[in-house]
Amino acid sequence: MPDLVCFKNVKKVYQMGEQGIEALKGISFSVTSGEFVAIMGASGSGKSTCMNILGCLDLPTEGEYFLEGLNIGKLEKRELSELRNRKIGFVFQGFNLLRRTSARENVELPLIYSRMPAKKRKLKAMEALEQVGLADRANHYPNQLSGGQQQRVAIARALVNSPAIILADEPTGNLDTKTSGEIMKIFRQLNDQGITIVMVTHEQDIASNAKRRLIFRDGLITDDEISAG
């Protein structure tokens, strides 16, 4: 199976005045379609920088990043923005929902950017909410939803465009243990349906839901573990 994601000797240097901080020191890895990968590591290990590049929110200083065979470094800003919207679904620790917008309207947002007609948008948003078990809360606002329900809305929003990959950044960081388990069950079900997921987490029990773990340390990948289960 061809690689969905491929990093080739990716380095990232941030300039802090005259000093360069090397966040990634030349990492190479690939993710094939249908994988569920957890990225782990201490604060400052490079995992967030890696996620930003994966999400086309940042570009490598050196090396190459390919998404579905496209060399991301060669794309214009507008092309990157379109690619992000079509190919990548994002799930964040803080949910990132619009407060004055209903659950359904929040899920519709990526479809508005792709200029989909309103009737079709509504239908697709409801399908995505159905997938995460929240269709009955479609007209509720974020402040009427629990943390777990808000994260379900965020997952539905990530799903609505049928992306090539979902990137989840500490998706259970703001949730209690029981709710975290429920959210991870949704991720496992989505992965069982063939959806590719890459997730950053610092919690071992959350990472154990993934089928593969990449361990980051000081800007390098020190371990690449396949789950026995």
Side-chain angles (χ1 to χ4, degrees), residues 35-215:
E35 280 200 274
F36 187 172
V37 182
I39 292 178
M40 301 193 74
S43 181
S45 61
K47 62 185 191 297
S48 295
T49 301
C50 177
M51 273 301 246
N52 286 338
I53 294 173
L54 276 173
C56 301
L57 300 167
D58 206 349
L59 293 170
T61 308
E62 283 181 43
E64 293 174 311
Y65 166 34
F66 295 88
L67 177 60
E68 288 192 328
L70 272 176
N71 189 337
I72 299 307
K74 298 205 182 316
L75 300 182
E76 303 290 330
K77 268 191 176 175
R78 180 184 54 79
E79 292 173 314
L80 274 176
S81 179
E82 284 178 7
L83 185 81
R84 254 197 317 273
N85 195 51
R86 280 188 300 111
K87 297 288 186 186
I88 304 168
F90 293 94
V91 180
F92 301 97
Q93 178 175 343
F95 319 136
N96 288 21
L97 301 179
L98 297 180
R99 294 281 151 207
R100 298 180 182 182
T101 305
S102 71
R104 194 201 77 234
E105 289 164 334
N106 265 289
V107 174
E108 282 183 35
L109 278 175
L111 303 176
I112 292 171
Y113 295 129
S114 55
R115 296 180 282 282
M116 184 179 285
K119 198 172 178 180
K120 192 175 178 187
R121 268 201 325 257
K122 185 176 179 180
L123 198 66
K124 281 190 72 88
M126 287 307 296
E127 285 172 0
L129 283 168
E130 188 79 52
Q131 265 188 287
V132 298
L134 217 60
D136 60 335
R137 296 283 193 274
N139 296 318
H140 287 58
Y141 289 82
N143 66 356
Q144 298 171 312
L145 300 171
S146 68
Q149 289 171 334
Q150 289 185 60
Q151 194 59 298
R152 284 175 189 238
V153 174
I155 293 168
R157 181 183 58 195
L159 279 173
V160 77
N161 248 350
S162 304
I165 188 168
I166 288 180
L167 301 180
D169 193 357
E170 298 280 5
T172 59
N174 284 349
L175 305 174
D176 61 41
T177 305
K178 181 176 178 289
T179 310
S180 295
E182 291 166 1
I183 292 298
M184 292 319 301
K185 185 180 178 185
I186 291 173
F187 277 120
R188 288 197 309 274
Q189 288 168 343
L190 294 174
N191 182 243
D192 288 343
Q193 293 165 26
I195 295 169
T196 310
I197 300 168
V198 177
M199 169 181 72
V200 162
T201 181
H202 65 277
E203 298 176 68
Q204 289 285 354
D205 57 332
I206 297 299
S208 69
N209 289 276
K211 295 169 183 171
R212 179 180 168 202
R213 286 178 289 283
L214 294 176
I215 314 299

